[in-house]
Amino acid sequence: MIKVTKFGGSSVSSAVQFKKIKGIIESDEARKFVVVSAAGKRDKTDTKVTDLLYLVNAHLQYHVSCDDLMGNIASRFIEIAHDLELAYPIAQEFGAFHERAKRGEFTPEYIVSRGEYFTAKLMSEYLGFAFVDAADVVRFNYDGSFDMDTTTELIQAAAREHACFVLPGFYGSDPDGEIRLMERGGGDITGAIVAKCLGAGLYENWTDVSGFLTADPRIVDNPKSISRITYAEMRELSYMGASVLHEEAIFPVKDAGIPLAILNTNRPQDAGTIISEETEPGTVEPIITGVAGKKGFKAIHVKMNHMSNMVGIVRRTLTIFERYGVSVEHIPTGIDTFAVVVHGSDVRDCLYKLVADIQLELPTADISIADHIALISTVGRNMSNRPGISGRLFGELGRAGINIRMIAQGSEELDIICGVNDDDFERAINVIYKAFVDSEDNIITIDELEARGGSFDA
Ligand SMILES: Nc1ncnc2c1ncn2[C@@H]1O[C@H](COP(=O)(O)OP(=O)(O)O)[C@@H](O)[C@H]1O
Ligand SMILES: N[C@@H](CC(=O)OP(=O)(O)O)C(=O)O
């Protein structure tokens, strides 16, 4: 069986972390194909190399010297190479990159991609694996969409040529060879793509926590970990802010039926989380699998007399959002009102123009904007057809004095989404965590599990 392993920024942040990776790779010969992110934070106060490279671009754009910044980045790579006694001439290579960047020879995307590139160069020498440049094998179309067919051919050819390789994550190139970046955190997507292209038996995503946790550990103290979770639940939780895995990383492995494991580079002995289509029969099933959320949403409320009898109002409004390229999160509706919920960052530059266009389209409507909304998703594959959960959820939030500004539920009853004030976000997550995830009744009964086709033997 082939295992594709992706090591995130925290796992490649120093020579000490590189050594842990070598131990992990050498302990299992199925681990032949490695994807790495750029060196990340060594501790909470540190800065990711990728963030520094974005900052380099900002300096270059405004003609401010970036020598100190580049020096800072170079010293991180040089320290790793020095501590591991690597022969790769990182100081010269990085120096040449720095000079050419200053002369304006590179695109901003190329500059940011060098975090992954140099990290992978060092890792390939350290592991004794070939280096395969993502620019040569991960292909985007001119419009920025991903070209899976060409990428599959190129990655399979690379695997035929090299028994083992290290590939930098997060970037690829278009048909002209210009570097294209993925979204932030996109190294997870590269790993999933390589796993799919090579028909891997497992995609291992190594990070700094022992698996997918039932809540963000930066919000809830010591949350429980999840041993098994379905792709759909994972997608919900990661989309809603559980940032351990990029939400788009699910699709390539899900399509190919490849299970995904989230594992801890600092504690490789821990079981971690397995994500697959089905959870195994015989395991104890929770009702609520986890809770996640994000701040910074806005709701554009549209109110109009007799709206309930009119046809096409929502469509006409949504056409305007489409025109501005704004993705819509939710559309809660009332009788003569509805709201369009979007993320604040998506309308930063166009909110007022967009609202003016809605007003032009619907001259008699009252339009208002509600700000600072946090959305929280409570997710569980065993919630469907189970009366009482949302009642309890809203009751718990109400008792804690948290005002609910919006409620939504997906058609599969996999999640309950509620909107609260940004200021109440952390408290609301903790209330839901304690009342549901951490509660002793968060286990489905034997009768119910059997009725759902599972068993309770574990
Ligand atoms: N539900 C969750 N489970 C685990 N980690 C989470 C969750 N929500 C947020 N996180 C955060 O995700 C971090 C790991 O993701 P990331 O920083 O991208 O790691 P890496 O450097 O390995 O790519 C964890 O340290 C944790 O703080
Ligand atoms: N280095 C890129 C891509 C990535 O996946 O990083 P990480 O594995 O540290 O989340 C970023 O910071 O966005």
Side-chain angles (χ1 to χ4, degrees):
M1 173 174 66
I2 293 174
K3 290 183 184 171
V4 169
T5 56
K6 181 260 173 177
F7 292 91
S10 54
S11 301
V12 293
S13 60
S14 66
V16 172
Q17 295 301 85
F18 269 56
K19 287 180 187 166
K20 290 178 190 169
I21 291 179
K22 192 169 199 168
I24 290 165
I25 296 296
E26 288 180 349
S27 68
D28 184 346
E29 61 179 29
R31 294 179 177 136
K32 294 177 194 306
F33 303 107
V34 177
V35 174
V36 290
S37 290
K41 293 183 182 194
R42 289 159 291 190
D43 57 56
K44 282 196 176 114
T45 60
D46 201 10
T47 311
K48 294 173 106 178
V49 162
T50 304
D51 290 323
L52 295 175
L53 289 164
Y54 275 107
L55 210 51
V56 164
N57 277 331
H59 280 62
L60 291 172
Q61 186 187 351
Y62 294 106
H63 308 288
V64 176
S65 165
C66 61
D67 291 349
D68 287 351
L69 259 176
M70 284 290 213
N72 184 348
I73 302 168
S75 65
R76 293 201 54 180
F77 288 128
I78 290 168
E79 192 177 311
I80 293 173
H82 173 265
D83 291 356
L84 301 175
E85 298 176 4
L86 302 178
Y88 181 70
I90 181 70
Q92 290 91 310
E93 294 289 331
F94 196 90
F97 158 65
H98 178 180
E99 284 310 314
R100 294 184 62 191
K102 279 204 298 193
R103 289 200 296 269
E105 289 183 28
F106 300 131
T107 63
E109 298 211 322
Y110 180 94
I111 289 175
V112 171
S113 74
R114 294 307 90 180
E116 281 36 41
Y117 175 88
F118 286 118
T119 305
K121 278 280 185 189
L122 298 178
M123 185 63 77
S124 82
E125 181 186 340
Y126 185 54
L127 295 180
F129 285 13
F131 170 81
V132 171
D133 193 347
D136 298 331
V137 295
V138 175
R139 184 56 52 82
F140 291 90
N141 297 307
Y142 285 116
D143 65 4
S145 60
F146 181 65
D147 179 352
M148 190 69 202
D149 291 344
T150 309
T151 302
T152 304
E153 270 172 38
L154 294 169
I155 288 186
Q156 287 179 351
R160 280 193 298 274
E161 193 180 339
H162 307 288
C164 308
F165 65 66
V166 175
L167 180 114
F170 184 48
Y171 72 93
S173 66
D174 69 15
D176 289 340
E178 288 292 325
I179 296 288
R180 297 287 185 123
L181 295 180
M182 297 178 179
E183 284 179 16
R184 292 304 305 270
D188 294 335
I189 307 174
T190 308
I193 288 167
V194 174
K196 181 176 181 187
C197 293
L198 298 181
L202 182 65
Y203 169 34
E204 293 181 336
N205 192 291
W206 292 84
T207 181
D208 62 349
V209 278
S210 291
F212 206 90
L213 305 172
T214 44
D216 188 331
R218 294 163 298 188
I219 300 175
V220 171
D221 238 5
N222 213 4
K224 292 178 181 169
S225 70
I226 301 171
S227 56
R228 297 195 75 98
I229 184 171
T230 60
Y231 296 119
E233 289 173 298
M234 182 73 170
R235 160 89 178 147
E236 288 288 332
L237 288 166
S238 53
Y239 184 78
M240 286 304 292
S243 53
V244 65
L245 189 78
H246 191 289
E247 73 256 19
E248 295 293 319
I250 298 292
F251 295 110
V253 283
K254 180 176 186 283
D255 287 352
I258 300 168
L260 194 164
I262 309 275
L263 297 159
N264 189 345
T265 302
N266 307 316
R267 293 185 54 87
Q269 69 279 16
D270 289 355
T273 302
I274 293 283
I275 301 139
S276 55
E277 193 64 73
E278 302 278 326
T279 57
E280 266 184 359
T283 49
V284 175
E285 291 271 309
I287 299 165
I288 305 296
T289 307
V291 55
K294 276 199 265 196
K295 289 183 180 183
F297 289 90
K298 292 180 192 291
I300 292 100
H301 288 270
V302 180
K303 188 174 159 195
M304 227 167 125
N305 286 341
H306 311 296
M307 188 195 284
S308 60
N309 300 326
M310 298 174 184
V311 176
I313 301 291
V314 175
R315 180 193 51 75
R316 281 158 62 194
T317 308
L318 292 185
T319 305
I320 296 169
F321 283 82
E322 188 180 351
R323 205 158 65 223
Y324 282 93
V326 173
S327 136
V328 170
E329 298 288 329
H330 295 285
I331 314 174
T333 55
I335 304 288
D336 289 326
T337 66
F338 66 93
V340 181
V341 181
V342 295
H343 199 270
S345 58
D346 291 342
V347 288
R348 192 181 297 125
D349 301 326
C350 64
L351 180 64
Y352 297 106
K353 280 193 266 171
L354 189 147
V355 168
D357 283 5
I358 301 174
Q359 192 71 80
L360 267 180
E361 181 71 32
L362 308 172
T364 60
D366 268 347
I367 302 170
S368 57
I369 301 166
D371 226 339
H372 306 299
I373 299 174
L375 294 185
I376 299 176
S377 181
T378 304
V379 175
R381 59 185 172 274
N382 292 313
M383 258 186 346
S384 63
N385 289 318
R386 220 170 190 280
I389 301 210
S390 36
R392 246 185 80 207
L393 181 82
F394 304 139
E396 294 288 348
L397 291 173
R399 263 188 293 286
I402 295 168
N403 179 39
I404 299 173
R405 299 179 64 183
M406 194 209 96
I407 298 166
Q409 185 170 46
S411 57
E412 291 174 328
E413 294 180 47
L414 186 66
D415 58 351
I416 301 169
I417 294 169
C418 49
V420 300
N421 287 326
D422 274 350
D423 290 348
D424 288 329
F425 175 66
E426 284 83 5
R427 216 154 50 82
I429 295 256
N430 272 288
V431 166
I432 296 171
Y433 179 80
K434 288 207 180 68
F436 290 90
V437 184
D438 201 23
S439 134
E440 280 178 6
D441 346 320
N442 192 25
I443 284 183
I444 70 172
T445 62
I446 299 172
D447 289 350
E448 200 184 333
L449 189 71
E450 279 176 358
R452 282 167 188 266
S455 74
F456 225 14
D457 299 337

